[in-house]
Amino acid sequence: MRATLPVFITGLALTGAVSVASAEDAEILRAPDPATILDIAKGFGSARMDKDDNGDPMISGRIEGVRYLIYFYGCEDHEDCKSLQFSAGYTDPLTADQANAWNSKYRWVKAYSGDGSNFKMDVSFAGGITRANLEEQFSNWGSMSGNIKDFVNGK
């Protein structure tokens, strides 16, 4: 049986039954490099690099017509950041009941009551993540943007 197992696995790989990771999928990002994040953001809509009130990198963008910001956290001297957060806010504050209604329905993006950035999604780079996974985080945020817009507009 031992001799046939490697042959069987090789056969699966050749038929496509086993996924073989590409070099890009294997690229592990240990920290949220602002230039890389901006490059990925531009693949999902308009985006530009800014700085937050503390001088840390910040990306402003639009996905599905929804304006969002990406804040970088755990930065040392405005570099070597550890995580990032997608954020979208509206001028009308959310009530606690509205935030709770959202949070009981949706998993990835969380709502917060009050003024300011009411919808947030955190991305940690602890242990590293692949570029493909980071692109999936953008895809998640993009797919939720329409839900955010509908929720805020009362649809």
Side-chain angles (χ1 to χ4, degrees), residues 4-149:
T4 59
L5 186 58
V7 172
F8 176 72
I9 291 172
T10 301
L12 285 176
L14 291 175
T15 63
V18 173
S19 175
V20 178
S22 70
E24 183 176 291
D25 289 344
E27 178 187 355
I28 303 295
L29 304 172
R30 303 279 178 211
D33 172 60
T36 301
I37 306 301
L38 180 62
D39 181 55
I40 294 170
K42 286 181 176 180
F44 288 85
S46 64
R48 71 175 199 278
M49 186 64 68
D50 288 316
K51 291 187 179 195
D52 68 12
D53 293 339
N54 296 322
D56 290 331
M58 179 180 79
I59 294 173
S60 302
R62 283 191 179 274
I63 293 180
E64 302 295 326
V66 175
R67 185 175 181 274
Y68 71 96
L69 299 171
I70 296 177
Y71 294 101
F72 291 74
Y73 285 96
C75 305
E76 297 174 20
D77 296 323
H78 314 297
E79 296 179 348
D80 300 321
C81 306
K82 307 294 184 254
S83 63
L84 55 84
Q85 182 183 72
F86 289 78
S87 179
Y90 293 86
T91 56
D92 294 334
L94 290 181
T95 66
D97 287 341
Q98 288 172 311
N100 287 337
W102 171 274
N103 291 334
S104 67
K105 186 173 182 179
Y106 298 107
R107 178 177 177 195
W108 300 110
V109 175
K110 295 302 175 195
Y112 298 86
S113 62
D115 295 329
S117 298
N118 305 113
F119 298 92
K120 299 178 182 186
M121 183 179 81
D122 295 309
V123 179
S124 173
F125 283 70
I129 64 173
T130 64
R131 182 180 174 107
N133 182 271
L134 184 56
E135 289 173 354
E136 183 61 24
Q137 301 306 309
F138 272 88
S139 182
N140 285 340
W141 181 259
S143 68
M144 295 302 295
S145 293
N147 295 339
I148 291 170
K149 189 175 6 177

